Amino acid sequence: MPRYNFPRVVVTGIGAVTPIGNNVEEFWNSMLEGKSGTDYITKFDASQFATRIANEVKNYDPLLHMNRKEVQRMDLFTQYAMSSTVMAIEDAQIDFEKTDKNRVGVIIGSGIGGMWTYHYQQEELYKRGGNPDRISPFFIPMLIADIAAGYVAIRWGLKGPNYATTSACATSSHAIADAFMLIQRGDADVMVVGGSEAVICPMGVGGFNAMKALSTRNDDPKTASRPFDRDRDGFVMGEGGGILILETLEHALNRGAKIYAEISGIGLTDDGFHITQPAPGGEGAVRSMKLCIEDAGLTINDIDYINAHGTSTQYNDKNETEAIKTLFGERAYKISISSIKSMVGHLLGAAGAVEAIATVLAIKNGIVPPTINYFTPDPDCDLDYTPNKPKSKEIRAAISNTFGFGGHNASICFKAYEE
């Protein structure tokens, strides 16, 4: 049984803009095909960079979901968030005019915010001899990480809890966790929740290159992201957005909503160890997954799938594997695991939301998405990572892991909906 007698929380709508599909259907089908979104960077001239590849969103048209004036006043990360939100609301078939808007909240996180806006405005400033009069009055509203949540609230007149989360790679998992808790404590009936990121820009790529965090497999982009593979050499940066509509079960049933899955537990911890390296043995990840399972009222024997953080870096993949083995013991070898970062790259602040959507779809469809580019087994990573091809499997409960710089760990437990 769950630890507390809280309202049940369900997922009723999803929307996504990703490097392998600009809507959920394209995203899911591309994952099942094992499609890589990695290619050469087109958003700027990366010829002088150690890394010249990334997972860019392709053929994106913001005018499908916003008008031209709105687009001009939004950073790209906000555009991705808005498009994802429009699609999630349409998918949920929720009519906010028939809903108490005071009880509808929005939490949309971003790890960094409007980095392209900062780039363009600084470029304009120096082009004009440092004249501050050239700075746009929209500079700050376009830059700040909370503006996506603000725009969503304004467009639909939503007046419940509203803010952004920022915790590096765990950003939008924390957004989902916060929304879950706000609904449980009775502060909202519906939450629009997720994350967005768009930092494939000179300072974004250059900064991660300086940390030696990115893959430099420029001669073979499609196979650059290799989670859990022995020859992994760093993550591949991605971009995009993901939004989920969460509701109390009662609210969803009263309006006849379809239900993808139920959020049943969360686990939030910190390593308290290092600004970028995970704690030895994945100690913080062990605790976040353990808390998550306990919060859901489940046991380790109930977990059939783990959507891994799986970044394709040496430290993360080894430590996450150790964490899973420490917590699950021998059962670790029976759990299906996959990292969709092998296909979409690392979406940073949007990773948690997009990977949560993948987890929900895996439960709903009974299919585990693959970890592609798994060529050479690593003795330190010896679990079932669903190599290269999807696998049909009944999934009763699943965990989505995200771990961020600063030692932030977030694990979300989803389970198949049962009446």
Side-chain angles (χ1 to χ4, degrees), residues 29 84 224 286 300 334 370 378 414 416:
N29 288 337
S84 300
V286 172
I300 60 170
K334 299 177 182 178
D378 181 344
F414 296 91

Side-chain angles (χ1 to χ4, degrees), residues 25-322:
E25 183 179 8
E26 289 178 4
F27 166 60
W28 178 247
N29 288 337
S30 293
M31 280 195 293
L32 298 189
E33 293 168 9
K35 181 179 178 180
S36 169
T38 309
D39 213 328
Y40 293 104
I41 293 170
T42 64
K43 284 184 161 59
F44 67 95
D45 180 2
S47 59
Q48 301 302 309
F49 287 69
T51 294
R52 299 188 290 280
I53 56 175
N55 273 265
E56 296 178 334
V57 169
K58 303 157 189 72
N59 304 313
Y60 170 65
D61 183 3
L63 295 176
L64 292 174
H65 307 114
M66 293 155 275
N67 64 47
R68 195 169 300 278
K69 182 180 284 187
E70 287 174 320
V71 171
Q72 291 171 344
R73 295 179 177 180
M74 291 179 183
D75 186 89
L76 190 57
F77 93 95
T78 304
Q79 294 175 32
Y80 291 157
M82 285 295 289
S83 289
S84 300
T85 301
V86 170
M87 290 186 281
I89 290 171
E90 289 176 352
D91 183 47
Q93 297 183 333
I94 187 167
D95 184 353
F96 288 130
E97 296 307 315
K98 297 178 180 178
T99 306
D100 182 353
K101 295 181 182 181
N102 293 317
R103 296 190 57 77
V104 182
V106 184
I107 308 175
I108 301 175
S110 180
I112 302 178
M115 207 163 185
W116 268 116
T117 292
Y118 197 99
H119 171 86
Y120 288 132
Q121 288 296 303
Q122 188 173 56
E123 198 173 56
E124 186 69 19
L125 176 67
Y126 289 126
K127 231 190 268 182
R128 304 289 181 167
N131 181 357
D133 291 341
R134 303 306 303 175
I135 298 173
S136 168
F138 293 102
F139 169 52
I140 297 300
M142 290 174 70
L143 171 75
I144 52 181
D146 65 300
I147 201 65
Y151 265 116
V152 168
I154 292 166
R155 178 159 175 174
W156 284 276
L158 310 179
K159 299 183 179 181
N162 187 293
Y163 55 93
T165 50
T166 297
S167 50
C169 313
T171 288
S172 47
S173 290
H174 277 121
I176 294 168
D178 279 13
F180 176 65
M181 290 188 285
L182 285 167
I183 293 174
Q184 282 188 326
R185 59 171 278 141
D187 290 338
D189 298 321
V190 182
M191 293 293 296
V192 180
V193 60
S196 186
E197 205 79 88
V199 296
I200 301 175
C201 61
M203 290 300 288
V205 174
F208 281 112
N209 267 162
M211 297 174 64
K212 310 294 185 187
L214 297 181
S215 171
T216 56
R217 194 171 275 111
N218 299 304
D219 59 338
D220 194 6
K222 297 298 182 187
T223 69
S225 183
R226 302 184 181 190
F228 304 107
D229 186 90
R230 186 195 65 188
D231 299 324
R232 63 192 183 275
D233 74 327
F235 75 82
V236 178
M237 190 182 294
E239 62 174 356
I243 296 292
L244 302 88
I245 307 300
L246 309 186
E247 303 182 50
T248 64
L249 176 59
E250 180 182 14
H251 191 275
L253 292 177
N254 284 344
R255 68 179 191 84
K258 71 175 181 296
I259 295 172
Y260 282 98
E262 181 174 352
I263 298 184
S264 55
I266 58 173
L268 312 175
T269 67
D270 195 84
D271 291 347
F273 174 70
H274 190 272
I275 57 171
T276 56
Q277 292 181 19
E283 180 272 336
V286 172
R287 287 185 291 113
S288 71
M289 289 188 288
K290 185 174 185 291
L291 288 170
C292 169
I293 293 168
E294 290 174 352
D295 190 38
L298 301 176
T299 72
I300 60 170
N301 294 318
D302 296 312
I303 305 301
D304 297 312
Y305 170 52
I306 297 175
N307 188 290
H309 189 50
T311 58
S312 185
T313 61
Q314 288 295 329
Y315 278 120
N316 175 88
D317 295 4
K318 177 183 176 181
N319 281 34
E320 187 170 10
T321 297
E322 288 183 18

